[in-house]
Amino acid sequence: MKNKLEGSTWRLLSRDRYLYFMLLPGVIYFLLFKYLPMWGVLIAFKNYQPFLGFNGSEWVGFKHFIRFFSDPAFSQLFRNTIILALYNLVFFFPMPIVIALMLNEIGRAWYKRFVQTIIYIPHFFSWVAIVGIAYVLFTTEGGAVNEWFESMGMEKINILASEQWFRTVVTSEVIWKETGWGTIIFLAALTGVDPQLYEAARIDGANRFRQLWHITFPALRSVIIILFILRLGNFLDTGFEQIYLMLNATNREVGEVFDTYVYSMGILNGQFSFSTAIGLFKSAIGLLLVVAANHLARRFGEEGVY
């Protein structure tokens, strides 16, 4: 029996050998750049010294985690990261869904393609360019927004140096840059909706809103749930490059997050083990959120991610 199973397995592998060969580069990529580097998290439990090497460095257990949790900066970093993450989740995550639903209602194909092209473009801008545009718009020295304020008889607002405006500006930049690109998955899901459902709904007297609510939105529900669960895995990843470029001495109190703190402690100060411990803490929180969200999704009858 065992020999028969082995024989059938080898026959299947032999039959689909070209497909497995095409899969091989992806498998090698994930092994080299995703799974193999996971051994590096052991640095978080060592007092890593580059000249001693990975194996020669002293094992210190949870010393760096205790230091991080007892650090006075921890509460500030945690608060800033959570608030920015919630801003992205509440204001950015729904935007691609809304825009995809709006694009789906456009009847003229040429106009739909034109709008899609326009809203995709910001995705290909670097964060340096995005932040540069923000500085040109909001600076008090000739910025377009403040010049408009002044022409309307209002006082100039130093938005770039304001703690109150920092999170709004950062979230707005993310929305402008990534919303258009995020619609691709939802528009792809909408192509699978049977047009006869809309025809039947119109015959039954359903207006555009009813069709949207009872046909279009349910078609996106499973995709939304899966992307939401995956999004929670990166919940504490607020984006290093953007935040680092937007930080200055006046908004650091609300802008310093885990990502920028890891760069400061790990790269600038050479505290590799301490910064690795912070990264491992972030990953653990993301894993817990994914497991909890997936469990809730499965409990309410959805597929989840596993």
Side-chain angles (χ1 to χ4, degrees):
M1 183 66 179
K2 182 179 179 180
N3 292 332
K4 291 179 65 177
L5 289 174
E6 289 178 352
S8 61
T9 302
W10 279 112
R11 280 196 299 270
L12 290 174
L13 291 175
S14 177
R15 186 190 66 185
D16 300 326
R17 58 185 179 276
Y18 295 113
L19 294 177
Y20 289 112
F21 183 75
M22 293 173 63
L23 187 67
L24 190 61
V27 173
I28 294 175
Y29 167 79
F30 276 95
L31 287 175
L32 291 179
F33 298 103
K34 299 297 181 180
Y35 288 97
L36 189 62
M38 289 177 66
W39 289 103
V41 301
L42 292 176
I43 296 176
F45 304 95
K46 292 189 172 190
N47 186 20
Y48 179 70
Q49 301 294 331
F51 59 88
L52 293 177
F54 185 80
N55 294 323
S57 299
E58 178 189 3
W59 183 273
V60 295
F62 292 96
K63 174 184 176 181
H64 300 297
F65 293 93
I66 296 171
R67 174 192 166 190
F68 177 54
F69 295 141
S70 59
D71 192 329
F74 172 76
S75 58
Q76 176 189 337
L77 292 170
F78 189 76
R79 182 179 66 251
N80 292 343
T81 304
I82 287 293
I83 292 176
L84 272 176
L86 288 174
Y87 267 54
N88 286 330
L89 197 63
V90 173
F91 297 108
F92 166 65
F93 182 78
M95 288 303 296
I97 304 171
V98 174
I99 300 300
L101 292 174
M102 294 173 65
L103 288 172
N104 190 60
E105 295 299 314
I106 297 177
R108 298 183 179 180
W110 68 269
Y111 183 68
K112 181 179 180 179
R113 290 195 297 268
F114 173 75
V115 173
Q116 285 179 274
T117 302
I118 295 299
I119 63 177
Y120 290 168
I121 290 175
H123 170 77
F124 300 99
F125 292 172
S126 68
W127 277 116
V128 175
I130 299 294
V131 173
I133 294 172
Y135 271 82
V136 170
L137 289 175
F138 299 122
T139 181
T140 55
E141 301 298 329
V145 174
N146 276 301
E147 288 296 320
W148 181 76
F149 284 162
E150 191 173 38
S151 68
M152 297 294 291
M154 297 182 289
E155 294 184 1
K156 293 183 177 182
I157 303 175
N158 195 354
I159 296 175
L160 298 174
S162 171
E163 293 184 355
Q164 291 76 19
W165 284 95
F166 178 81
R167 292 166 182 145
T168 302
V169 172
V170 167
T171 307
S172 300
E173 290 173 352
V174 174
I175 291 173
W176 182 66
K177 186 177 188 295
E178 300 295 347
T179 294
W181 190 255
T183 61
I184 294 176
I185 295 178
F186 299 108
L187 288 173
L190 289 174
T191 59
V193 180
D194 189 349
Q196 294 181 357
L197 294 176
Y198 292 106
E199 295 177 6
R202 283 193 293 270
I203 293 173
D204 290 338
N207 56 26
R208 298 294 288 271
F209 178 78
R210 288 290 184 182
Q211 295 174 39
L212 180 70
W213 184 256
H214 292 289
I215 300 175
T216 309
F217 192 73
L220 291 177
R221 185 174 60 187
S222 60
V223 178
I224 293 173
I225 291 173
I226 291 174
L227 290 180
F228 180 77
I229 295 172
L230 295 176
R231 177 72 181 176
L232 289 178
N234 299 319
F235 182 67
L236 297 182
D237 292 335
T238 52
F240 162 74
E241 187 177 0
Q242 179 197 13
I243 303 298
Y244 185 75
L245 292 170
M246 292 294 296
L247 278 180
N248 54 57
T250 56
N251 61 26
R252 188 170 295 273
E253 188 72 20
V254 298
E256 188 82 73
V257 294
F258 287 139
D259 293 330
T260 56
Y261 189 70
V262 165
Y263 172 77
S264 176
M265 300 303 293
I267 303 299
L268 299 183
N269 294 329
Q271 301 183 30
F272 303 110
S273 294
F274 182 63
S275 58
T276 303
I278 300 173
L280 184 57
F281 165 73
K282 285 177 49 187
S283 300
I285 295 296
L287 176 62
L288 291 175
L289 289 174
V290 167
V291 172
N294 189 78
H295 175 73
L296 288 175
R298 296 291 296 272
R299 188 169 183 178
F300 286 98
E302 300 295 335
E303 292 184 3
V305 295
Y306 63 88

